[in-house]
Structure formats: C-alpha cells, structure tokens
Amino acid sequence: ITGQNREPVVLISDQDLRDMEETIYLYSIPGMVESIIAGGKTPLSECVEWDPKNVENYARKEGAKRRRAAVSRRVAPKGK
C-alpha cells in the first residue's frame, strides 16, 4: 500500500505473519533446517506414526542418546 509522501507498507494476513514468525524461529535453532530437510527426505516406510502419548518416552530416549554421543566425543582419542 502506498500513499502520497508516505512510506510504503505491506498488508498481510494474520496467518501469513504467524507462518513467517514460525519460520524465523525455526531458522534460529542451530541444525533445525538441516533436520527438517533430512526428515523430508526420509521414506514413509521408515517413518513411525505420531503418538502424542509417546512424546515423553521419545524425548527421554533421544536425550539419553545425545548425552551418550556427547560423552563419547569428549573421551575419544584425538584425531578420531
């Protein structure tokens, strides 16, 4: 939208604004974009059905895997 002697402005829907804010948020998380891209390339045959009841168990298992990986990186000999 433009007006005489005024800065141009853009008018977008509330949903479009929320979508852009979500995109900006996701881009701010290190590794998130790569994770989303990798997930999009995963064949459906390798995917599991989403079950909200299992979110806590999944998060706990993933956290444990990450902690083990971090520990193994810290104790691995240099050069490996």
Side-chain angles (χ1 to χ4, degrees):
I1 302 171
T2 59
Q4 218 169 7
N5 300 322
R6 293 190 176 175
E7 288 283 323
V9 296
V10 177
L11 179 66
I12 62 172
S13 72
D14 181 56
Q15 184 62 52
D16 286 345
L17 175 61
R18 283 186 269 141
D19 291 345
M20 286 192 294
E21 289 172 332
E22 181 179 18
T23 299
I24 291 166
Y25 171 71
L26 292 174
Y27 268 85
S28 74
I29 301 170
M32 181 59 75
V33 172
E34 294 80 6
S35 177
I36 292 170
I37 291 169
K41 293 178 181 177
T42 303
L44 285 178
S45 61
E46 294 178 21
C47 296
V48 295
E49 189 171 333
W50 177 253
D51 183 356
K53 296 175 196 166
N54 290 327
V55 171
E56 191 173 318
N57 285 337
Y58 176 79
R60 193 176 304 120
K61 287 178 195 173
E62 286 301 303
K65 276 198 272 187
R66 288 187 184 122
R67 284 190 296 278
R68 284 193 300 273
V71 168
S72 67
R73 283 193 300 272
R74 285 195 300 262
V75 297
K78 293 214 182 235
K80 293 198 177 196

